[in-house]
Amino acid sequence: MLLHIVRKELLDQLRSLRFAIACAVCLLVMLLSSAVLTRDYREALSTYNMNRVMHRNELEQRTQIRSVNEGMTVDRPLNLMNTMVRGLSQELTESVKIQPGNRLDFPETWEGNPVLPLFPAVDFVFIVGVIVSLLALAFGYDAVSGEAESGVIKLLLSYSVPRDTVLLGKWIGGYLALVAPFTVSFLLSMLLLLLFPEVEPDMDGTLSLLALFVLALLYLAAIFSLGIFVSSRTRLASTSITVLLLLWVAFVLALPNMAPYAVSQVLPIPSQESMRREKQAIQQEWSERSQKIFREEQEKQGRDDVFDEALRQRFDDMRQEMEAEMQKVSDSQTARVRHQMRWSAIIARVSPMTSFTLASLDLAASGITQEQRYVEALQAFSEKWGVYAEEKQADFRRVMEENRGRMTPELMEQFNDIDLSDAPQFEFSYMPASERLTSVYPDILLLVLWNVIFFMGAWLSFLRYDVQ
Amino acid sequence: MLLLRIIRKEVLHNVLSFRFAVTYALLFILVVVSMFLMGSQHRTKVDEYIRAEGQLNTKLDEITNTPDANEQFQKVIQADLPGARAPRPLSVLARGLEGSLPTQVSSRNRFVTRSSDDRLGRNVLFDVFQTPDFAYVVNIVLSLLALLFVFDSICGEKERGTLKVLLSNSVPRDTVLLGKWVGGYLSISAPFAVAVVGGFVYLSLSGAMQLQPDDVIRFAAISLISLLYIAVFFSLGLFISTATHRGSTALLLSLLVWIVWILVVPNLAPITARLVAPVPSRQVIDAEQQAIDREAQLLQESIRKRKVYGDQEESERIQQDAERKRRKLDQFYNDRMTRQVSFSQGLARLSPSASYLFAVTRLAGTGPILFDRFRDAHDRFQEAQNDWRDDLFRSGNVEFTRTGPQVKDKDWFDPDSIPRFQMYSEATRAAIDAAMFDILLLVVFAVLFFMLSFAFFLRYDVT
């Protein structure tokens, strides 16, 4: 019986205009986006390779000892998943300057094409999250109310078929009709991706892609169930599509965007500048205090050169105190940012769209966790570079100390044939697939929950639906 | 007279419908909530700006009040007198690129740096989704609501059979269509106007926006462009309705057009343009410039070793040559970038959504022009700061001795002479002129769709 209904529903859908539209939209948009983004990836790959060689050459050509202090530039490796999910960063390539003193210097966004940041990228997340979800509503909105209007459902239920079977059949048939064009387009865009010789899929990437696809199916199922739910609560198809579109606008277009702004009103965080000012104030206080101590000491002892072991110890302690205080400011800022971020994500997750988007970002290793990993890796590398630079300069420092800072050109000449070709290389690997999968399971559960809620709602409503 | 009656009927029909009630509620909520949120966001930015300026002033006061002139000089040399960038008041309506720019630039470091604190110390969820400002609400949401409003105005009446009755009276079809357009447009634009006025009142009363008369004009212009944009989609919906015979078909076609035209075309345009009109990365240009410098340096060094009379000239020539080459590279980069930008804009303008966004951000002063203005202001600020510092040393007022600098004239310090960071915004007139192309494009789209719907409705089969 169920099979009959599924078959009928499927045939119904396949002959409809919306199926044709869904096929056209899915194919067109996904292939177009895949082609454009993969070509963009290819360009980025060549830029990345060029930049890497260039930066390495630049480093190895240096001969002057002073140039060690110029730091070095490293490039972020490309992430193949960015052809599907653009993620947080606008650009696929990024060169970060490692400055001495463990400072990182990230590139600015305002140097490039100003039209780019005005528009969101049409990637897989955007296509599924916004476009295909709208199509899912178009598939579900008249499942019950449309048939009630045309009277078909009266006829159908006059047979000895339980209502739950009817609903389940409708769900399966409609969902199959929805995901068929989507799956085909997805597979075709994967094929298109593989046509590029630069694309070398690995195990992690393939697994994440698969998980991404399943996630998309789950999200679409939730939206489709919502469509059936609303359809079985209304008597007219026009009413149900109105309600659905408004819900869609509110939950897909408005809520995820507005939630972070609303949360930032309730849980404000001070700006980076004010934190920097606070740190500067601490530093200033420290330098003034140490100058004062130095002067007092000079007056007390009556001579200029008062720098002995005890005083040095005292200054070191003060310095550590200041650094600890500055670290405290940073930490409290970080904690507040995390807090705000957590609550924004929680509030925004009222919409399934947020769960889908954030989970996709994590699966593609281009989301929030990834960002933290990347910056941490850079910081670790920066420390490594610092140690290396110290080692390179050790001899020079020693000679400098021996000569009390007065270096003759002949002495300098000795140190001006350094070789930096053994400098450390920046290695960075994206999160392994297993880690990505474990980090997204709450969102997957949430999507399953939405599915169950909407389907249960549809079922309860359909059981008492008045078919007259 | 007849026209008025049709308009009245259309408005009444709309106002009494369920669709109107929910659409109106959603529209009102979205417009007002977006203005509220963006207004509060803007206020915190303004507070931040005021605090930064205040900090700078206290620093200057402290320096002014330093009794010892030598110490004062020392402090001036060491101090970083940063420039704070004032946020654009109309970024409340269209945030545009406002968020991509730093809010403060150092006076000591030529390069604006972004540390790992900047990178991690922010709520990245702001970047995951598009900013829900007024321009976004109108651009994406309102265009959809306009289509939803009008998709069955012709074919729906045909399905119900009322169109047949209406046209059996002695009323010309053009009057019917015009009446439907005006009536329908009024019933969506009137609530929109109310919401905008409500938002405006909120923004001006709450003090979230410091409104100059100039800004009010811009605000009004942005609202008018939004109304025009709604008219484009209203005409498009009417056209789709006259081209179809069933409400459900019209709805699906409207959604299809909306998806392709609003979501896909403008958003794919910039990346496509980047592929078609590539620009070498800034780093490559920088590396080549460095190579030029190095070459010039080597040449000059070899000349210096020769120690022959008249080499000074040759050395200068080499210097100038290198400078020329550098400039040429910069020129090349800028040309390529301009080409890419105009190409992406042209491609995006295939969709009225992009035209709308360009026009509105132009008026708000947050569009692509903001990057240029910021670069100019930054360069100007750095140059002025450098000149000012050079003047301090060159004025002959200071003598450097072993114990530190000695200042002759004791009150040499004038805090007002310190150059400030200043970004000039475009004059309102100029902004409107610049946005005119996009506005005209929107008018063309609106008229085109209305004409098409007219042509289709004249031969519409009402039975």
Side-chain angles (χ1 to χ4, degrees), chain A residues 216-386:
Chain A
L217 288 185
L218 210 56
Y219 168 69
L220 290 179
I223 301 288
F224 182 70
S225 309
L226 173 71
I228 293 204
F229 172 42
V230 172
S231 179
S232 51
R233 303 256 358 142
T234 46
R235 311 220 46 89
L236 287 173
S238 64
T239 318
S240 84
I241 190 67
T242 309
V243 172
L244 279 171
L245 279 180
L246 296 175
L247 280 178
W248 183 81
V249 166
F251 282 92
V252 172
L253 295 184
L255 191 106
N257 308 46
M258 287 181 167
Y261 285 90
V263 171
S264 76
Q265 289 305 307
V266 185
L267 303 169
I269 39 178
S271 72
Q272 289 298 321
E273 276 79 26
S274 72
M275 184 188 72
R276 212 167 293 145
R277 278 198 294 270
E278 209 174 320
K279 277 182 168 176
Q280 267 169 10
I282 293 173
Q283 212 164 12
Q284 178 126 26
E285 199 211 310
W286 167 79
S287 87
E288 273 167 16
R289 228 175 61 196
S290 49
Q291 269 173 23
K292 210 173 118 203
I293 290 175
F294 196 70
R295 239 174 277 136
E296 274 172 10
E297 205 65 25
Q298 279 178 338
E299 275 168 27
K300 209 159 71 188
Q301 300 191 12
R303 58 194 169 100
D304 273 0
D305 190 18
V306 289
F307 224 61
D308 56 3
E309 207 45 50
L311 196 62
R312 188 168 294 186
Q313 186 61 43
R314 200 163 152 206
F315 277 150
D316 270 353
D317 289 349
M318 268 168 64
R319 188 184 185 84
Q320 268 166 18
E321 212 173 279
M322 172 204 68
E323 267 163 12
E325 217 169 316
M326 272 168 58
Q327 190 59 44
K328 216 155 71 187
V329 173
S330 284
D331 287 349
S332 99
Q333 175 88 0
T334 315
R336 290 176 81 161
V337 169
R338 292 245 164 102
H339 192 60
Q340 195 194 64
M341 215 141 75
R342 222 182 91 222
W343 278 101
S344 316
I346 289 175
I347 303 281
R349 276 196 176 93
V350 170
S351 153
M353 162 84 171
T354 314
S355 293
F356 170 67
T357 308
L358 294 181
S360 319
L361 286 181
D362 276 343
L363 277 180
S366 41
I368 300 158
T369 341
Q370 165 60 33
E371 182 89 351
Q372 276 162 7
R373 252 178 80 102
Y374 172 56
V375 175
E376 274 158 22
L378 278 172
Q379 276 162 347
F381 178 76
S382 157
E383 265 165 42
K384 208 160 130 193
W385 164 259

Side-chain angles (χ1 to χ4, degrees), chain B residues 64-214:
Chain B
T64 314
N65 293 333
T66 309
D68 180 27
N70 298 336
E71 202 183 323
Q72 198 177 33
F73 184 79
Q74 198 81 32
K75 271 188 181 165
V76 170
I77 303 269
Q78 281 169 0
D80 181 12
L81 308 168
R85 184 177 65 87
R88 297 273 152 151
L90 282 166
S91 64
V92 172
L93 295 188
R95 205 160 146 70
L97 301 170
E98 174 80 31
S100 314
L101 287 180
T103 55
Q104 196 170 334
V105 290
S106 159
S107 71
R108 315 208 53 183
N109 191 349
R110 222 191 127 13
F111 302 99
V112 180
T113 55
R114 261 161 63 89
S115 66
S116 41
D117 279 342
D118 294 319
R119 185 71 181 240
L120 281 185
R122 72 205 156 92
N123 185 344
V124 278
L125 277 163
F126 285 123
D127 303 348
V128 175
F129 301 105
Q130 274 178 283
T131 315
D133 53 8
F134 176 74
Y136 169 80
V137 170
V138 174
N139 195 348
I140 309 286
V141 179
L142 227 65
S143 58
L144 181 66
L145 290 186
L147 284 180
L148 183 62
F149 222 77
V150 72
F151 77 93
D152 64 347
S153 69
I154 304 288
C155 55
E157 282 215 35
K158 179 187 171 172
E159 271 182 305
R160 285 193 298 273
T162 46
L163 193 62
K164 222 178 339 187
V165 182
L166 181 65
L167 288 180
S168 67
N169 296 320
S170 70
V171 38
R173 287 194 174 195
D174 46 9
T175 315
V176 173
L177 191 73
L178 195 65
K180 275 191 168 299
W181 194 92
V182 176
Y185 182 64
L186 272 183
S187 41
I188 187 165
S189 57
F192 172 72
V194 172
V196 171
V197 171
F200 178 77
V201 169
Y202 163 74
L203 285 177
S204 45
L205 284 188
S206 70
M209 220 164 99
Q210 302 294 320
L211 285 171
Q212 313 291 331
D214 212 37

Side-chain angles (χ1 to χ4, degrees), chain B residues 389-404:
Chain B
R389 271 170 210 271
D390 283 351
D391 278 349
L392 283 188
F393 288 102
R394 286 209 205 109
S395 60
N397 190 23
V398 193
E399 230 170 69
F400 292 93
T401 59
R402 271 200 57 202
T403 48

